[in-house]
Structure formats: C-alpha cells, structure tokens
Amino acid sequence: MNFFELEKRLENNEEVTFTFVGDSITHGLNNCTADQTYVAEFAKLLATRYPKSRVVRYDGIVKDEKSSLLGYQKIVVQEGNVGTVYVFRSGVGGNTVARALKRIDDYTGLLPSNTYSDYIFTMFGINDALKSDPDKYVLPEVFKEHYRELICKLKASEKFAKLFIMTATTNDQCIDNHVALTYDLAKEENLSIIDLHLLWKNHYDKNADNFGHGDWLAPNSADACHPMPKATKAMAQAICSEFFNIIKA
C-alpha cells in the first residue's frame, strides 16, 4: 500500500495496521514505560500526523522469553472519527529470529477486524549475535537463513503487507556481521530497510559515558543495549520519516 492508498483508506473511514516484531528493544525493556517504547512513540507520531483518526495501540503481554504472548493489551492513543490506525507491539525480550519463528501466530492474522497487517516491521540481531549466551547465539550465516525463513512465512501469511527490515541497534558485543547480512537479506528479498544500526552508530561518541551512547543508554548501568526514552523517540522519528519516504517513492 503506497502513500496515496494509505491516505485514501483513512479518508474512507477504513483501517490501517502497523505491526512491529522483535526482541526486548521492541518490547521496551529495561528503561522505558509502556508509553515510552519506540513503538508507542511511533504511534504518537501517527496520531500527530492524522489528528482526526482514531489511533489504537496493542501491546504484547509477555509470559517469558521462550513462550508465545499471553495476548495484547489495548491502549487508545487518540480518539477520532476519520479512519482507524492500529499499532501492534509484538516484542519479546530474549527473542532471536528462531524463537520468533516459533511464535509466529502472535503477529499474523490477529487483528481486531480479522484482517491482516498492512505494514510489518521486523528487528532482530541483538540476541542472535550474543556470544556470551550460547542458548541464543548463532553464526551470522545461520541468522540470515533463519531470518529468510521468517520473511518467507510472513510473505505467505500476510500477502498484502509491505515488509520492512530494521537493522539491530547496538550492544557491547560485535553485531556488525549480523547487521551486514541483514542488509544482504533485505536486498535479496526485495524488502525496504530502515537502518537503525546506522542511527546508533552516528550517535556514538567513544568519549561519551554509557558505552559511548550517553543519554541514549542508562547511566551507571551495565546495560549496553536497552534504550532510554530519548533514544526511543529518536528511533521512532527515524522509522516514521523513513517509512513515509519509502511509501511516497
């Protein structure tokens, strides 16, 4: 669905659905409230862009890192009467692509209107590249093939959705090879890519506190990857900007 079709659907009082799938960065651990995750901030940006539309967020309820979601909590971001925007947050802390594959029913065919997603955003790599945890780590080539399987399943299930791959953000271990193969996969599968890894890389300052990321990561903490609210806002702004640039092209 391109930009014109999105606008027309809302004008016709229809629905548009965004689904975000990922790990703890998407879920919003450990430094954000539910209203401060990058998904929540993205929903707020859509509400600002479409002030007459109803915007509803559905936050995944997590049991544990290896299980499917328990369901979704509904949050009304904005009331309106010119179409409805749904934003689903389907992030589970500790998820790798392989684990996300096992819970694919969490984020396919789940919408209130029994329709499918219009736009799906995936972001993985933080845990897949975590060499300190052998239960999660996989070689970059294995990560790529797991990711390809996920993309193929999404293409088969969500036939009318436009898929976006978002590169992994940052951690204190080397994820460059996993990120590089994320670029390759997006090109091979003809998917749009939103480069959040580059966003974080451009923010990096080796002399800054908190693993070089200053107020984007928690102060006085060993947490090297979970963003603070300032970072989630920057991520949401980048996603929103790139999203509209892509669908307008």
Side-chain angles (χ1 to χ4, degrees):
M1 180 166 57
N2 61 29
F3 176 73
F4 174 78
E5 291 167 333
L6 185 160
E7 300 270 311
K8 202 69 178 174
R9 188 179 291 185
L10 292 178
E11 288 174 8
N12 291 339
N13 202 30
E14 298 175 11
E15 301 167 352
V16 177
T17 300
F18 297 79
T19 301
F20 290 84
V21 185
D23 50 35
S24 58
I25 309 301
T26 298
H27 180 63
L29 301 176
N30 290 316
N31 303 307
C32 297
T33 67
D35 289 328
Q36 293 174 325
T37 69
Y38 80 81
V39 179
E41 295 293 347
F42 179 84
K44 294 174 192 174
L45 290 172
L46 291 180
T48 299
R49 188 179 186 99
Y50 300 108
K52 296 181 180 179
S53 297
R54 189 168 188 255
V55 179
V56 182
R57 201 177 80 230
Y58 284 85
D59 290 351
I61 302 168
V62 176
K63 179 182 179 183
D64 58 61
E65 65 180 29
K66 291 186 178 181
S67 299
S68 297
L69 295 175
L70 295 174
Y72 285 90
Q73 179 182 5
K74 178 180 177 181
I75 299 97
V76 177
V77 179
Q78 174 176 276
E79 292 290 4
N81 56 12
V82 184
T84 301
V85 178
Y86 294 119
V87 180
F88 281 81
R89 189 193 77 196
S90 189
V92 175
N95 258 201
T96 59
V97 180
R99 290 180 179 182
L101 275 164
K102 292 179 180 178
R103 65 176 190 89
I104 194 166
D105 288 346
D106 282 349
Y107 46 88
T108 54
L110 47 63
L111 309 183
S113 57
N114 295 316
T115 58
Y116 294 91
S117 296
D118 297 297
Y119 305 103
I120 301 177
F121 301 76
T122 62
M123 179 169 58
F124 291 99
I126 292 291
N127 294 301
D128 305 77
L130 197 61
K131 284 189 175 181
S132 61
D133 190 340
D135 192 41
K136 299 174 184 174
Y137 176 77
V138 292
L139 292 169
E141 294 79 10
V142 177
F143 163 73
K144 182 182 178 183
E145 290 314 308
H146 286 170
Y147 217 155
R148 191 189 306 278
E149 182 181 355
L150 176 64
I151 293 303
C152 289
K153 286 183 179 294
L154 287 174
K155 284 181 175 180
S157 174
E158 307 288 300
K159 296 180 180 179
F160 301 104
K162 183 171 179 59
L163 305 184
F164 296 79
I165 284 186
M166 303 192 297
T167 53
T169 51
T170 189
N171 64 14
D172 62 341
Q173 301 184 37
C174 182
I175 62 172
D176 289 349
N177 291 335
H178 288 70
V179 169
L181 291 187
T182 305
Y183 298 137
D184 290 348
L185 178 64
K187 184 176 181 180
E188 291 166 13
E189 295 294 331
N190 194 30
L191 301 179
S192 299
I193 191 161
I194 296 177
D195 201 347
L196 295 179
H197 186 70
L198 181 61
L199 179 75
W200 280 78
K201 187 175 181 179
N202 287 342
H203 181 73
Y204 178 77
D205 177 357
K206 66 180 181 180
N207 296 314
D209 293 332
N210 310 316
F211 298 91
H213 289 290
D215 55 6
W216 278 25
L217 291 177
N220 305 316
S221 172
D223 187 339
C225 67
H226 296 105
M228 294 284 285
K230 186 172 182 178
T232 61
K233 287 184 178 181
M235 291 166 65
Q237 289 166 356
I239 295 166
C240 194
S241 176
E242 280 300 298
F243 166 74
F244 282 104
N245 285 340
I246 289 167
I247 67 168
K248 284 180 179 179

